[in-house]
Amino acid sequence: MKMYEIPEARRATRGKSIMNFLSLGANEKVTSILAMSQDKGGKKEQSISSLILVTKDGTVKKMAAASFKDVRRSGIIAMRLDKGDQLISALMTEKGDEVMIATAEGQSIRFKESDVREMGRTAGGVTGIKLKKSDEVIGVDVVKKDQDKGAFLTMSANGFGKKTDLKEYKAQKR
């Protein structure tokens, strides 16, 4: 859905459920909202190249961002999910970026976005991180190219936190 199709409200108003604007199934829910750039002067922006989708079971799928420019009102199927799996995050990436995935049991991985090949809509995806049976993906983010100056914040379910420099997480193969 295009953002300009959602009615504007005042700051003090309550707002409306997203279910009023999207036709979602009974077992569907919104997990990510992405801002897609518009064409400027007839030229498509070249900086955003791909959309990375990551599921709870550690499956990763990369698709061309251009395939989501014109979506029907009823939506399109972006990824085939296995039974019991669900989409955790959808993020925009550029060439040279890296993807970080964190799990509930404290595991993480950092890999280049180029390690995942671009796939069509009917493809299921590839393994992004190998998980134990009791583990699941809880967080995903994109590390922009040449950005080792940031930090990775890890939070536990009990409220304990740890801030680690990104340079301590070396990029590796998925």
Side-chain angles (χ1 to χ4, degrees), residues 111-174:
F111 59 88
K112 296 179 181 179
E113 63 87 28
S114 60
D115 287 349
V116 180
R117 65 178 173 78
E118 221 168 72
M119 299 172 211
R121 287 195 0 231
T122 58
V126 296
T127 302
I129 185 169
K130 292 182 182 175
L131 302 171
K132 297 177 185 174
K133 289 201 182 249
S134 60
D135 205 3
E136 64 184 32
V137 172
I138 58 168
V140 182
D141 206 358
V142 173
V143 179
K144 295 297 179 185
K145 55 186 163 192
D146 303 325
Q147 186 186 0
D148 274 343
K149 295 176 185 157
F152 186 64
L153 180 64
T154 309
M155 296 294 296
S156 75
N158 298 328
F160 293 99
K162 176 177 142 179
K163 182 178 169 183
T164 313
D165 286 336
L166 279 175
K167 61 184 172 190
E168 292 190 37
Y169 292 90
K170 65 179 173 94
Q172 53 190 339
K173 296 288 182 185
R174 321 179 265 105

Side-chain angles (χ1 to χ4, degrees), residues 1-147:
M1 177 175 204
K2 306 278 190 253
M3 187 172 134
Y4 61 80
E5 294 174 358
I6 297 174
E8 194 169 328
R10 297 188 188 274
R11 182 177 60 89
T13 58
R14 186 166 178 227
K16 293 183 180 180
S17 170
I18 195 72
M19 298 299 280
N20 294 335
F21 303 106
L22 301 175
S23 57
L24 299 176
N27 60 346
E28 293 180 317
K29 66 179 184 176
V30 176
T31 58
S32 290
I33 297 175
L34 296 173
M36 302 274 300
S37 61
Q38 291 183 332
D39 296 344
K40 294 183 179 175
K43 295 179 182 177
K44 292 188 177 182
E45 279 195 34
Q46 306 254 335
S47 63
I48 297 176
S49 61
S50 301
L51 179 70
I52 296 276
L53 306 172
V54 182
T55 70
K56 181 175 76 171
D57 291 342
T59 303
V60 177
K61 181 177 180 182
K62 182 167 89 170
M63 301 176 66
S67 61
F68 291 95
K69 289 282 185 189
D70 297 315
V71 178
R72 295 184 303 268
R73 184 88 173 151
S74 61
I76 59 172
I77 296 174
M79 183 177 196
R80 185 182 66 235
L81 295 172
D82 295 332
K83 189 174 183 179
D85 201 3
Q86 67 185 31
L87 183 68
I88 295 295
S89 187
L91 300 164
M92 296 294 214
T93 61
E94 300 174 8
K95 291 196 184 304
D97 288 349
E98 294 175 334
V99 178
M100 281 196 73
I101 299 175
T103 70
E105 292 188 3
Q107 298 296 308
S108 67
I109 188 169
R110 179 179 179 177
F111 59 88
K112 296 179 181 179
E113 63 87 28
S114 60
D115 287 349
V116 180
R117 65 178 173 78
E118 221 168 72
M119 299 172 211
R121 287 195 0 231
T122 58
V126 296
T127 302
I129 185 169
K130 292 182 182 175
L131 302 171
K132 297 177 185 174
K133 289 201 182 249
S134 60
D135 205 3
E136 64 184 32
V137 172
I138 58 168
V140 182
D141 206 358
V142 173
V143 179
K144 295 297 179 185
K145 55 186 163 192
D146 303 325
Q147 186 186 0

